[in-house]
Amino acid sequence: MIHSLSGGVLADGGIYTFAKVDVDGTPGWYLAPRMLAAGTRVIVPFGRTGARAQGRVVRCENCTPQTAPVPMGRVRSIVSVLPDPQENA
């Protein structure tokens, strides 16, 4: 049996901030706590084990669950945003 997609109700109409983070040459998409500038250093779960790794934000964008670069059920979140070392200089 085939169901119509036009009559359904969307479960979530929210907007989420996604950051593309580069960890040692391997980019990946993560949920971000807010818009982050390119070059911001962050800690993210990385690899199959989810070990924490440091990376740099390549870019950020706001998305709906339907336009997200990663399925919402599989997306990981940024663990922490590291301070800019130039702020302390």
Side-chain angles (χ1 to χ4, degrees):
M1 178 158 72
I2 299 174
H3 296 279
S4 171
L5 296 176
S6 63
V9 176
L10 296 176
D12 186 2
I15 302 293
Y16 297 90
T17 302
F18 282 84
K20 188 174 189 178
V21 177
D22 184 298
V23 177
D24 294 329
T26 304
W29 287 98
Y30 295 86
L31 275 177
R34 62 184 183 280
M35 289 298 280
L36 299 169
T40 301
R41 295 177 314 127
V42 294
I43 302 294
V44 294
F46 186 71
R48 290 181 186 246
T49 63
R52 293 182 177 187
Q54 182 176 312
R56 289 201 179 267
V57 173
V58 176
R59 72 174 200 245
C60 269
E61 56 186 60
N62 289 323
C63 303
T64 65
Q66 292 76 28
T67 62
V70 177
M72 294 300 291
R74 291 188 9 216
V75 69
R76 295 178 179 183
S77 296
I78 291 174
V79 175
S80 63
V81 178
L82 299 174
D84 185 358
Q86 295 180 4
E87 289 178 1
N88 297 332

